[in-house]
Amino acid sequence: MEKKKYLQLMGLSLASVSLLAACGGDSEESTTDKDGNDKQVLNLVESAELPTMDSVLATDSVSFNVMNNVNEGLLRQGPDGELELGMAEEEPVVSEDGLTYTFKIREDAVWSNGDPVTANDFVFSWTSLATPETAAEYSYMIDGVVANATAILQGEMEPSELGVTAVDDKTLEIQLEKAVPYFESLTTLSMFFPQNEAYVTEKGEAYASNSDNILYNGPFVLDEWDGTGLSWVMNKNEDYWDADAVELDTINIDVIKETSTALNLYDTGSIDRMVLSGDYVQTQQGNSDLKTQPTSTVAYLKFNQERNGEETALANENIRKAIAMAFDKQAYVDTVLQNGSIPADGLVPEALAVDPATGEDYREQNGDLLSFDNEKAQEYFDKGLDELGVDSLSLEILSDDTENAKKSIEFLQGQLTQNLQGLEISLRNVPFKVRLDADSNQDYDIQLALWGADYADPINFLELFHAENGNNNSGYDSAEYNSLVESAQTNVTDLESRWQDMLDAEEVLMEEAGIAPIYQRAYAILEKDYVKDFTTHLVGAEWSFKWTSVTN
């Protein structure tokens, strides 16, 4: 296949990667494969649990990273961000109007139980994604893209009427609602992966509950995951259609939330790659293993405007503005993160996308929209308190229970209480999966959240806070913002007008302080020199192990 550039494709994030087996480069115990060759084993740590392995229901980067390596869609993101063939045997045939895509499923594609991968496997999973009863938070990715998805999600049509058809076992036809410039990129994402209907039906509620109740069609298979998400193993899938390209035999991953613990494991040769943060970065200056990995992930404070059916103090725009402007972002990245991350004064990250007319980067063009200003912050806060008829507020910040997350909200607590007289802040650190549940149930006041790009278009960030988006979960509902986002979602012919809609939408979101942007993430990475071709992406799943190897 002639490689295609992925619309400037660049990728998603969370952490890095585990323990268990012997280190790929420093092991004294030599393990061998069936041919007597040394096995290639990569040992990594993750910073958060694995919440789910149901590709239709997943919403987090940990799940997406694992799924990207044990399953595969029609296309996959290559080492340089280009699109490569996955389950598709050849490039799709696209109609002249750009509304019909026909994919041929490769003949040698099989599931880990030996069943062939068929066109119906895609029809089944995509239909499930678009079915209202599934309640998939990522259903918005198919909404307005595949024909009839919107009407189905609104209960106006039956799921069987979705514009996806298995012409025969190996021919998949997709009808789009409108021409979508980045449609082929979407097929690399987990929510568009296939599922074996007979297997899913047979397993019922047990499906994807642990590694023994899932089928795999990617470079690796998942083992030793009991559903708690605390550790897992990925082993090479010998039945994968491109198994000859896969060099790693085993990837061991454990959840380690303390940087100090991970660093000790790295220094003793128990793990091969890790993410550093804070003061630990400074201790590694001069270490040839130290690298910087850019990402498209933006961290922000999410303000919950409705809790338990009642409007909260954060429904007040002046209170939101006050909090958004009351902490020093530069001090935060310099003292807490120390890893190359940069302050963010808008939602859309740098280097994601450029103006179709001028080539100017979106972030540079829209500039700094919501910056640190403690004097203005106090003015907004006093005005908000007056509007609420109170003289003080007590709010809680929710975050993950990682070492870095704890330090982050402690910093924010100090800044907010120092710069906003009359504000008290308490802190709640919980496991990653618990935070996701709290977000879904809108059981929080302020949440430290992050988003990394699924594909290289500003709409992927902006649509998050449309009132009907499944990821909103904050009560933010702006008629002007909703209208601009909807226009950008539907207008795919006048690209300059669409671009302006996206610029304007972000301005509205920041003017109303729907969220409070904090920073754009970079990673400080320690990686052993014997790890080769560890592939990272700036959009989509964070990493791919298909091309990675360990040299002895």
Side-chain angles (χ1 to χ4, degrees), residues 301-308 312 314 396-399 428 435 437-449 465 471-475:
L301 293 179
K302 198 169 177 180
F303 300 127
N304 188 13
Q305 300 186 36
E306 182 180 329
R307 192 172 188 179
N308 299 323
T312 73
L314 293 164
E396 179 185 76
I397 301 179
L398 171 70
S399 79
R428 178 161 60 119
R435 179 173 69 82
D437 289 340
D439 178 75
S440 297
N441 296 322
Q442 286 190 227
D443 183 22
Y444 67 94
D445 293 331
I446 303 171
Q447 180 186 170
L448 177 58
F465 300 101
N471 284 285
N472 187 330
N473 296 332
S474 71

PDB file of all heavy atoms in Angstrom, residues 301-308 312 314 396-399 428 435 437-449 465 471-475:
ATOM      1  N   LEU A 301      -8.977  22.071  34.108  1.00  0.00           N
ATOM      2  CA  LEU A 301      -9.943  21.897  35.189  1.00  0.00           C
ATOM      3  C   LEU A 301     -11.334  21.870  34.589  1.00  0.00           C
ATOM      4  O   LEU A 301     -11.702  22.746  33.798  1.00  0.00           O
ATOM      5  CB  LEU A 301      -9.838  23.030  36.202  1.00  0.00           C
ATOM      6  CG  LEU A 301      -8.548  23.097  37.020  1.00  0.00           C
ATOM      7  CD1 LEU A 301      -8.588  24.287  37.969  1.00  0.00           C
ATOM      8  CD2 LEU A 301      -8.302  21.804  37.784  1.00  0.00           C
ATOM      9  N   LYS A 302     -12.086  20.871  34.964  1.00  0.00           N
ATOM     10  CA  LYS A 302     -13.450  20.698  34.487  1.00  0.00           C
ATOM     11  C   LYS A 302     -14.385  21.134  35.605  1.00  0.00           C
ATOM     12  O   LYS A 302     -14.281  20.659  36.746  1.00  0.00           O
ATOM     13  CB  LYS A 302     -13.659  19.223  34.142  1.00  0.00           C
ATOM     14  CG  LYS A 302     -14.825  18.896  33.268  1.00  0.00           C
ATOM     15  CD  LYS A 302     -14.707  17.430  32.817  1.00  0.00           C
ATOM     16  CE  LYS A 302     -15.891  16.997  31.985  1.00  0.00           C
ATOM     17  NZ  LYS A 302     -15.757  15.588  31.568  1.00  0.00           N
ATOM     18  N   PHE A 303     -15.294  22.062  35.314  1.00  0.00           N
ATOM     19  CA  PHE A 303     -16.187  22.625  36.320  1.00  0.00           C
ATOM     20  C   PHE A 303     -17.562  21.980  36.227  1.00  0.00           C
ATOM     21  O   PHE A 303     -18.221  22.070  35.192  1.00  0.00           O
ATOM     22  CB  PHE A 303     -16.330  24.134  36.113  1.00  0.00           C
ATOM     23  CG  PHE A 303     -15.039  24.900  36.214  1.00  0.00           C
ATOM     24  CD1 PHE A 303     -14.649  25.764  35.201  1.00  0.00           C
ATOM     25  CD2 PHE A 303     -14.221  24.767  37.322  1.00  0.00           C
ATOM     26  CE1 PHE A 303     -13.471  26.483  35.292  1.00  0.00           C
ATOM     27  CE2 PHE A 303     -13.031  25.488  37.434  1.00  0.00           C
ATOM     28  CZ  PHE A 303     -12.654  26.345  36.407  1.00  0.00           C
ATOM     29  N   ASN A 304     -17.995  21.359  37.298  1.00  0.00           N
ATOM     30  CA  ASN A 304     -19.296  20.695  37.301  1.00  0.00           C
ATOM     31  C   ASN A 304     -20.384  21.692  37.711  1.00  0.00           C
ATOM     32  O   ASN A 304     -20.442  22.130  38.860  1.00  0.00           O
ATOM     33  CB  ASN A 304     -19.287  19.508  38.258  1.00  0.00           C
ATOM     34  CG  ASN A 304     -20.558  18.680  38.153  1.00  0.00           C
ATOM     35  OD1 ASN A 304     -21.340  18.844  37.224  1.00  0.00           O
ATOM     36  ND2 ASN A 304     -20.753  17.796  39.113  1.00  0.00           N
ATOM     37  N   GLN A 305     -21.266  22.007  36.778  1.00  0.00           N
ATOM     38  CA  GLN A 305     -22.286  23.021  37.027  1.00  0.00           C
ATOM     39  C   GLN A 305     -23.588  22.444  37.581  1.00  0.00           C
ATOM     40  O   GLN A 305     -24.476  23.195  37.985  1.00  0.00           O
ATOM     41  CB  GLN A 305     -22.579  23.791  35.728  1.00  0.00           C
ATOM     42  CG  GLN A 305     -21.363  24.507  35.177  1.00  0.00           C
ATOM     43  CD  GLN A 305     -21.693  25.364  33.984  1.00  0.00           C
ATOM     44  OE1 GLN A 305     -22.760  25.970  33.914  1.00  0.00           O
ATOM     45  NE2 GLN A 305     -20.783  25.423  33.024  1.00  0.00           N
ATOM     46  N   GLU A 306     -23.710  21.121  37.595  1.00  0.00           N
ATOM     47  CA  GLU A 306     -24.931  20.496  38.112  1.00  0.00           C
ATOM     48  C   GLU A 306     -24.569  19.202  38.816  1.00  0.00           C
ATOM     49  O   GLU A 306     -23.930  18.325  38.243  1.00  0.00           O
ATOM     50  CB  GLU A 306     -25.921  20.221  36.980  1.00  0.00           C
ATOM     51  CG  GLU A 306     -27.235  19.617  37.445  1.00  0.00           C
ATOM     52  CD  GLU A 306     -28.204  19.360  36.303  1.00  0.00           C
ATOM     53  OE1 GLU A 306     -28.153  20.118  35.316  1.00  0.00           O
ATOM     54  OE2 GLU A 306     -28.982  18.399  36.399  1.00  0.00           O
ATOM     55  N   ARG A 307     -24.983  19.090  40.077  1.00  0.00           N
ATOM     56  CA  ARG A 307     -24.649  17.900  40.854  1.00  0.00           C
ATOM     57  C   ARG A 307     -25.879  17.434  41.617  1.00  0.00           C
ATOM     58  O   ARG A 307     -26.556  18.239  42.263  1.00  0.00           O
ATOM     59  CB  ARG A 307     -23.504  18.210  41.830  1.00  0.00           C
ATOM     60  CG  ARG A 307     -22.882  16.989  42.473  1.00  0.00           C
ATOM     61  CD  ARG A 307     -21.641  17.386  43.253  1.00  0.00           C
ATOM     62  NE  ARG A 307     -20.915  16.226  43.728  1.00  0.00           N
ATOM     63  CZ  ARG A 307     -19.794  16.287  44.418  1.00  0.00           C
ATOM     64  NH1 ARG A 307     -19.254  17.475  44.693  1.00  0.00           N
ATOM     65  NH2 ARG A 307     -19.194  15.183  44.827  1.00  0.00           N
ATOM     66  N   ASN A 308     -26.169  16.153  41.495  1.00  0.00           N
ATOM     67  CA  ASN A 308     -27.358  15.582  42.146  1.00  0.00           C
ATOM     68  C   ASN A 308     -28.626  16.346  41.785  1.00  0.00           C
ATOM     69  O   ASN A 308     -29.520  16.552  42.605  1.00  0.00           O
ATOM     70  CB  ASN A 308     -27.171  15.568  43.665  1.00  0.00           C
ATOM     71  CG  ASN A 308     -26.000  14.721  44.100  1.00  0.00           C
ATOM     72  OD1 ASN A 308     -25.736  13.668  43.512  1.00  0.00           O
ATOM     73  ND2 ASN A 308     -25.281  15.175  45.119  1.00  0.00           N
ATOM     74  N   THR A 312     -24.884  24.054  40.791  1.00  0.00           N
ATOM     75  CA  THR A 312     -23.808  24.309  41.740  1.00  0.00           C
ATOM     76  C   THR A 312     -23.318  25.749  41.613  1.00  0.00           C
ATOM     77  O   THR A 312     -23.689  26.479  40.690  1.00  0.00           O
ATOM     78  CB  THR A 312     -22.613  23.376  41.492  1.00  0.00           C
ATOM     79  OG1 THR A 312     -21.937  23.790  40.294  1.00  0.00           O
ATOM     80  CG2 THR A 312     -23.073  21.930  41.344  1.00  0.00           C
ATOM     81  N   LEU A 314     -20.583  26.583  40.598  1.00  0.00           N
ATOM     82  CA  LEU A 314     -19.777  26.657  39.386  1.00  0.00           C
ATOM     83  C   LEU A 314     -20.619  26.915  38.145  1.00  0.00           C
ATOM     84  O   LEU A 314     -20.080  27.089  37.053  1.00  0.00           O
ATOM     85  CB  LEU A 314     -18.948  25.386  39.231  1.00  0.00           C
ATOM     86  CG  LEU A 314     -17.869  25.243  40.309  1.00  0.00           C
ATOM     87  CD1 LEU A 314     -17.338  23.822  40.352  1.00  0.00           C
ATOM     88  CD2 LEU A 314     -16.750  26.233  40.081  1.00  0.00           C
ATOM     89  N   GLU A 396     -14.244  21.187  46.150  1.00  0.00           N
ATOM     90  CA  GLU A 396     -13.329  20.050  46.170  1.00  0.00           C
ATOM     91  C   GLU A 396     -12.759  19.827  44.781  1.00  0.00           C
ATOM     92  O   GLU A 396     -13.467  19.928  43.780  1.00  0.00           O
ATOM     93  CB  GLU A 396     -14.084  18.799  46.627  1.00  0.00           C
ATOM     94  CG  GLU A 396     -13.244  17.542  46.676  1.00  0.00           C
ATOM     95  CD  GLU A 396     -14.083  16.313  47.015  1.00  0.00           C
ATOM     96  OE1 GLU A 396     -14.809  15.821  46.118  1.00  0.00           O
ATOM     97  OE2 GLU A 396     -14.023  15.877  48.180  1.00  0.00           O
ATOM     98  N   ILE A 397     -11.455  19.515  44.711  1.00  0.00           N
ATOM     99  CA  ILE A 397     -10.822  19.139  43.445  1.00  0.00           C
ATOM    100  C   ILE A 397     -10.612  17.634  43.437  1.00  0.00           C
ATOM    101  O   ILE A 397     -10.034  17.065  44.367  1.00  0.00           O
ATOM    102  CB  ILE A 397      -9.475  19.845  43.236  1.00  0.00           C
ATOM    103  CG1 ILE A 397      -9.653  21.365  43.240  1.00  0.00           C
ATOM    104  CG2 ILE A 397      -8.853  19.405  41.908  1.00  0.00           C
ATOM    105  CD1 ILE A 397      -8.353  22.135  43.063  1.00  0.00           C
ATOM    106  N   LEU A 398     -11.087  16.994  42.388  1.00  0.00           N
ATOM    107  CA  LEU A 398     -10.949  15.542  42.193  1.00  0.00           C
ATOM    108  C   LEU A 398      -9.820  15.263  41.208  1.00  0.00           C
ATOM    109  O   LEU A 398      -9.703  15.921  40.177  1.00  0.00           O
ATOM    110  CB  LEU A 398     -12.260  14.991  41.639  1.00  0.00           C
ATOM    111  CG  LEU A 398     -12.269  13.536  41.151  1.00  0.00           C
ATOM    112  CD1 LEU A 398     -12.147  12.576  42.334  1.00  0.00           C
ATOM    113  CD2 LEU A 398     -13.521  13.247  40.341  1.00  0.00           C
ATOM    114  N   SER A 399      -8.989  14.272  41.519  1.00  0.00           N
ATOM    115  CA  SER A 399      -7.944  13.861  40.578  1.00  0.00           C
ATOM    116  C   SER A 399      -7.597  12.403  40.811  1.00  0.00           C
ATOM    117  O   SER A 399      -8.080  11.767  41.752  1.00  0.00           O
ATOM    118  CB  SER A 399      -6.688  14.727  40.721  1.00  0.00           C
ATOM    119  OG  SER A 399      -5.915  14.321  41.830  1.00  0.00           O
ATOM    120  N   ARG A 428      -9.491  15.444  46.699  1.00  0.00           N
ATOM    121  CA  ARG A 428      -9.908  14.027  46.685  1.00  0.00           C
ATOM    122  C   ARG A 428      -9.134  13.305  45.600  1.00  0.00           C
ATOM    123  O   ARG A 428      -9.324  13.553  44.407  1.00  0.00           O
ATOM    124  CB  ARG A 428     -11.409  13.904  46.443  1.00  0.00           C
ATOM    125  CG  ARG A 428     -11.900  12.447  46.364  1.00  0.00           C
ATOM    126  CD  ARG A 428     -13.401  12.316  46.593  1.00  0.00           C
ATOM    127  NE  ARG A 428     -14.201  13.039  45.632  1.00  0.00           N
ATOM    128  CZ  ARG A 428     -15.083  12.458  44.800  1.00  0.00           C
ATOM    129  NH1 ARG A 428     -15.233  11.142  44.806  1.00  0.00           N
ATOM    130  NH2 ARG A 428     -15.809  13.197  43.988  1.00  0.00           N
ATOM    131  N   ARG A 435     -12.238   7.774  39.243  1.00  0.00           N
ATOM    132  CA  ARG A 435     -12.421   9.130  38.721  1.00  0.00           C
ATOM    133  C   ARG A 435     -13.299   9.108  37.471  1.00  0.00           C
ATOM    134  O   ARG A 435     -14.153   9.981  37.285  1.00  0.00           O
ATOM    135  CB  ARG A 435     -11.083   9.793  38.400  1.00  0.00           C
ATOM    136  CG  ARG A 435     -11.263  11.214  37.815  1.00  0.00           C
ATOM    137  CD  ARG A 435      -9.960  11.946  37.638  1.00  0.00           C
ATOM    138  NE  ARG A 435      -9.114  11.397  36.609  1.00  0.00           N
ATOM    139  CZ  ARG A 435      -9.258  11.659  35.297  1.00  0.00           C
ATOM    140  NH1 ARG A 435     -10.246  12.425  34.865  1.00  0.00           N
ATOM    141  NH2 ARG A 435      -8.412  11.131  34.423  1.00  0.00           N
ATOM    142  N   ASP A 437     -15.647   7.027  36.781  1.00  0.00           N
ATOM    143  CA  ASP A 437     -17.023   6.817  37.240  1.00  0.00           C
ATOM    144  C   ASP A 437     -17.608   8.113  37.811  1.00  0.00           C
ATOM    145  O   ASP A 437     -18.768   8.441  37.561  1.00  0.00           O
ATOM    146  CB  ASP A 437     -17.078   5.708  38.291  1.00  0.00           C
ATOM    147  CG  ASP A 437     -16.831   4.329  37.704  1.00  0.00           C
ATOM    148  OD1 ASP A 437     -16.994   4.168  36.476  1.00  0.00           O
ATOM    149  OD2 ASP A 437     -16.463   3.412  38.467  1.00  0.00           O
ATOM    150  N   ALA A 438     -16.811   8.818  38.601  1.00  0.00           N
ATOM    151  CA  ALA A 438     -17.275  10.083  39.180  1.00  0.00           C
ATOM    152  C   ALA A 438     -17.583  11.090  38.091  1.00  0.00           C
ATOM    153  O   ALA A 438     -18.558  11.850  38.174  1.00  0.00           O
ATOM    154  CB  ALA A 438     -16.229  10.633  40.143  1.00  0.00           C
ATOM    155  N   ASP A 439     -16.772  11.093  37.049  1.00  0.00           N
ATOM    156  CA  ASP A 439     -17.014  11.993  35.915  1.00  0.00           C
ATOM    157  C   ASP A 439     -18.325  11.636  35.228  1.00  0.00           C
ATOM    158  O   ASP A 439     -19.157  12.511  34.963  1.00  0.00           O
ATOM    159  CB  ASP A 439     -15.849  11.909  34.927  1.00  0.00           C
ATOM    160  CG  ASP A 439     -16.060  12.784  33.710  1.00  0.00           C
ATOM    161  OD1 ASP A 439     -15.914  14.014  33.821  1.00  0.00           O
ATOM    162  OD2 ASP A 439     -16.386  12.236  32.631  1.00  0.00           O
ATOM    163  N   SER A 440     -18.524  10.357  34.949  1.00  0.00           N
ATOM    164  CA  SER A 440     -19.743   9.915  34.261  1.00  0.00           C
ATOM    165  C   SER A 440     -20.991  10.266  35.053  1.00  0.00           C
ATOM    166  O   SER A 440     -22.036  10.609  34.488  1.00  0.00           O
ATOM    167  CB  SER A 440     -19.696   8.403  34.011  1.00  0.00           C
ATOM    168  OG  SER A 440     -18.633   8.066  33.155  1.00  0.00           O
ATOM    169  N   ASN A 441     -20.888  10.191  36.391  1.00  0.00           N
ATOM    170  CA  ASN A 441     -22.032  10.461  37.259  1.00  0.00           C
ATOM    171  C   ASN A 441     -22.114  11.919  37.698  1.00  0.00           C
ATOM    172  O   ASN A 441     -22.984  12.280  38.490  1.00  0.00           O
ATOM    173  CB  ASN A 441     -21.954   9.562  38.500  1.00  0.00           C
ATOM    174  CG  ASN A 441     -22.068   8.091  38.155  1.00  0.00           C
ATOM    175  OD1 ASN A 441     -22.825   7.701  37.277  1.00  0.00           O
ATOM    176  ND2 ASN A 441     -21.291   7.268  38.846  1.00  0.00           N
ATOM    177  N   GLN A 442     -21.197  12.756  37.191  1.00  0.00           N
ATOM    178  CA  GLN A 442     -21.104  14.157  37.607  1.00  0.00           C
ATOM    179  C   GLN A 442     -21.059  14.282  39.128  1.00  0.00           C
ATOM    180  O   GLN A 442     -21.691  15.137  39.728  1.00  0.00           O
ATOM    181  CB  GLN A 442     -22.243  14.996  37.023  1.00  0.00           C
ATOM    182  CG  GLN A 442     -22.067  15.272  35.540  1.00  0.00           C
ATOM    183  CD  GLN A 442     -23.040  16.285  34.975  1.00  0.00           C
ATOM    184  OE1 GLN A 442     -23.635  16.054  33.940  1.00  0.00           O
ATOM    185  NE2 GLN A 442     -23.214  17.418  35.637  1.00  0.00           N
ATOM    186  N   ASP A 443     -20.237  13.432  39.727  1.00  0.00           N
ATOM    187  CA  ASP A 443     -20.079  13.414  41.179  1.00  0.00           C
ATOM    188  C   ASP A 443     -18.752  14.081  41.546  1.00  0.00           C
ATOM    189  O   ASP A 443     -17.820  13.447  42.049  1.00  0.00           O
ATOM    190  CB  ASP A 443     -20.131  11.973  41.686  1.00  0.00           C
ATOM    191  CG  ASP A 443     -20.044  11.894  43.199  1.00  0.00           C
ATOM    192  OD1 ASP A 443     -20.361  12.900  43.860  1.00  0.00           O
ATOM    193  OD2 ASP A 443     -19.650  10.830  43.703  1.00  0.00           O
ATOM    194  N   TYR A 444     -18.639  15.363  41.270  1.00  0.00           N
ATOM    195  CA  TYR A 444     -17.428  16.123  41.582  1.00  0.00           C
ATOM    196  C   TYR A 444     -17.761  17.608  41.531  1.00  0.00           C
ATOM    197  O   TYR A 444     -18.794  18.016  40.986  1.00  0.00           O
ATOM    198  CB  TYR A 444     -16.311  15.793  40.586  1.00  0.00           C
ATOM    199  CG  TYR A 444     -16.591  16.255  39.165  1.00  0.00           C
ATOM    200  CD1 TYR A 444     -16.123  17.489  38.723  1.00  0.00           C
ATOM    201  CD2 TYR A 444     -17.332  15.481  38.275  1.00  0.00           C
ATOM    202  CE1 TYR A 444     -16.394  17.945  37.431  1.00  0.00           C
ATOM    203  CE2 TYR A 444     -17.597  15.911  36.983  1.00  0.00           C
ATOM    204  CZ  TYR A 444     -17.129  17.145  36.568  1.00  0.00           C
ATOM    205  OH  TYR A 444     -17.403  17.587  35.291  1.00  0.00           O
ATOM    206  N   ASP A 445     -16.881  18.427  42.084  1.00  0.00           N
ATOM    207  CA  ASP A 445     -16.993  19.880  41.949  1.00  0.00           C
ATOM    208  C   ASP A 445     -16.086  20.353  40.812  1.00  0.00           C
ATOM    209  O   ASP A 445     -16.543  20.846  39.796  1.00  0.00           O
ATOM    210  CB  ASP A 445     -16.587  20.582  43.248  1.00  0.00           C
ATOM    211  CG  ASP A 445     -17.544  20.314  44.398  1.00  0.00           C
ATOM    212  OD1 ASP A 445     -18.734  20.075  44.125  1.00  0.00           O
ATOM    213  OD2 ASP A 445     -17.099  20.337  45.554  1.00  0.00           O
ATOM    214  N   ILE A 446     -14.779  20.192  41.042  1.00  0.00           N
ATOM    215  CA  ILE A 446     -13.772  20.540  40.050  1.00  0.00           C
ATOM    216  C   ILE A 446     -12.944  19.291  39.800  1.00  0.00           C
ATOM    217  O   ILE A 446     -12.580  18.587  40.738  1.00  0.00           O
ATOM    218  CB  ILE A 446     -12.863  21.683  40.538  1.00  0.00           C
ATOM    219  CG1 ILE A 446     -13.688  22.917  40.895  1.00  0.00           C
ATOM    220  CG2 ILE A 446     -11.828  22.037  39.486  1.00  0.00           C
ATOM    221  CD1 ILE A 446     -12.886  24.009  41.581  1.00  0.00           C
ATOM    222  N   GLN A 447     -12.631  19.011  38.556  1.00  0.00           N
ATOM    223  CA  GLN A 447     -11.896  17.790  38.227  1.00  0.00           C
ATOM    224  C   GLN A 447     -10.663  18.132  37.407  1.00  0.00           C
ATOM    225  O   GLN A 447     -10.731  18.922  36.458  1.00  0.00           O
ATOM    226  CB  GLN A 447     -12.792  16.835  37.439  1.00  0.00           C
ATOM    227  CG  GLN A 447     -12.126  15.541  37.038  1.00  0.00           C
ATOM    228  CD  GLN A 447     -13.007  14.677  36.139  1.00  0.00           C
ATOM    229  OE1 GLN A 447     -12.560  13.697  35.576  1.00  0.00           O
ATOM    230  NE2 GLN A 447     -14.276  15.058  35.999  1.00  0.00           N
ATOM    231  N   LEU A 448      -9.532  17.556  37.777  1.00  0.00           N
ATOM    232  CA  LEU A 448      -8.333  17.657  36.963  1.00  0.00           C
ATOM    233  C   LEU A 448      -8.419  16.587  35.881  1.00  0.00           C
ATOM    234  O   LEU A 448      -8.322  15.398  36.161  1.00  0.00           O
ATOM    235  CB  LEU A 448      -7.079  17.461  37.814  1.00  0.00           C
ATOM    236  CG  LEU A 448      -5.738  17.470  37.077  1.00  0.00           C
ATOM    237  CD1 LEU A 448      -5.544  18.775  36.307  1.00  0.00           C
ATOM    238  CD2 LEU A 448      -4.587  17.242  38.043  1.00  0.00           C
ATOM    239  N   ALA A 449      -8.645  17.018  34.647  1.00  0.00           N
ATOM    240  CA  ALA A 449      -8.873  16.092  33.542  1.00  0.00           C
ATOM    241  C   ALA A 449      -7.874  16.351  32.421  1.00  0.00           C
ATOM    242  O   ALA A 449      -7.228  17.412  32.367  1.00  0.00           O
ATOM    243  CB  ALA A 449     -10.300  16.249  33.016  1.00  0.00           C
ATOM    244  N   PHE A 465     -17.163  19.617  24.564  1.00  0.00           N
ATOM    245  CA  PHE A 465     -17.990  20.410  25.466  1.00  0.00           C
ATOM    246  C   PHE A 465     -19.265  20.917  24.817  1.00  0.00           C
ATOM    247  O   PHE A 465     -19.921  21.816  25.340  1.00  0.00           O
ATOM    248  CB  PHE A 465     -17.148  21.546  26.062  1.00  0.00           C
ATOM    249  CG  PHE A 465     -15.989  20.983  26.834  1.00  0.00           C
ATOM    250  CD1 PHE A 465     -14.728  20.955  26.289  1.00  0.00           C
ATOM    251  CD2 PHE A 465     -16.197  20.402  28.076  1.00  0.00           C
ATOM    252  CE1 PHE A 465     -13.671  20.385  26.981  1.00  0.00           C
ATOM    253  CE2 PHE A 465     -15.148  19.825  28.777  1.00  0.00           C
ATOM    254  CZ  PHE A 465     -13.883  19.818  28.226  1.00  0.00           C
ATOM    255  N   ASN A 471     -18.850  13.085  26.557  1.00  0.00           N
ATOM    256  CA  ASN A 471     -17.722  13.359  27.436  1.00  0.00           C
ATOM    257  C   ASN A 471     -17.871  14.662  28.199  1.00  0.00           C
ATOM    258  O   ASN A 471     -17.020  14.996  29.020  1.00  0.00           O
ATOM    259  CB  ASN A 471     -16.421  13.408  26.621  1.00  0.00           C
ATOM    260  CG  ASN A 471     -15.937  12.030  26.234  1.00  0.00           C
ATOM    261  OD1 ASN A 471     -15.414  11.292  27.050  1.00  0.00           O
ATOM    262  ND2 ASN A 471     -16.121  11.691  24.972  1.00  0.00           N
ATOM    263  N   ASN A 472     -18.934  15.425  27.922  1.00  0.00           N
ATOM    264  CA  ASN A 472     -19.101  16.724  28.570  1.00  0.00           C
ATOM    265  C   ASN A 472     -19.218  16.540  30.091  1.00  0.00           C
ATOM    266  O   ASN A 472     -18.374  16.980  30.849  1.00  0.00           O
ATOM    267  CB  ASN A 472     -20.337  17.436  28.002  1.00  0.00           C
ATOM    268  CG  ASN A 472     -20.483  18.858  28.485  1.00  0.00           C
ATOM    269  OD1 ASN A 472     -20.081  19.206  29.586  1.00  0.00           O
ATOM    270  ND2 ASN A 472     -21.081  19.691  27.672  1.00  0.00           N
ATOM    271  N   ASN A 473     -20.263  15.890  30.532  1.00  0.00           N
ATOM    272  CA  ASN A 473     -20.437  15.537  31.954  1.00  0.00           C
ATOM    273  C   ASN A 473     -20.076  16.671  32.910  1.00  0.00           C
ATOM    274  O   ASN A 473     -19.419  16.458  33.934  1.00  0.00           O
ATOM    275  CB  ASN A 473     -19.595  14.299  32.307  1.00  0.00           C
ATOM    276  CG  ASN A 473     -20.031  13.072  31.554  1.00  0.00           C
ATOM    277  OD1 ASN A 473     -21.194  12.945  31.184  1.00  0.00           O
ATOM    278  ND2 ASN A 473     -19.104  12.161  31.309  1.00  0.00           N
ATOM    279  N   SER A 474     -20.489  17.884  32.562  1.00  0.00           N
ATOM    280  CA  SER A 474     -20.184  19.026  33.415  1.00  0.00           C
ATOM    281  C   SER A 474     -21.342  20.015  33.506  1.00  0.00           C
ATOM    282  O   SER A 474     -21.290  20.938  34.314  1.00  0.00           O
ATOM    283  CB  SER A 474     -18.954  19.770  32.880  1.00  0.00           C
ATOM    284  OG  SER A 474     -19.265  20.451  31.670  1.00  0.00           O
ATOM    285  N   GLY A 475     -22.361  19.833  32.669  1.00  0.00           N
ATOM    286  CA  GLY A 475     -23.471  20.763  32.662  1.00  0.00           C
ATOM    287  C   GLY A 475     -23.217  22.016  31.857  1.00  0.00           C
ATOM    288  O   GLY A 475     -24.087  22.894  31.779  1.00  0.00           O
TER     289      GLY A 475
END
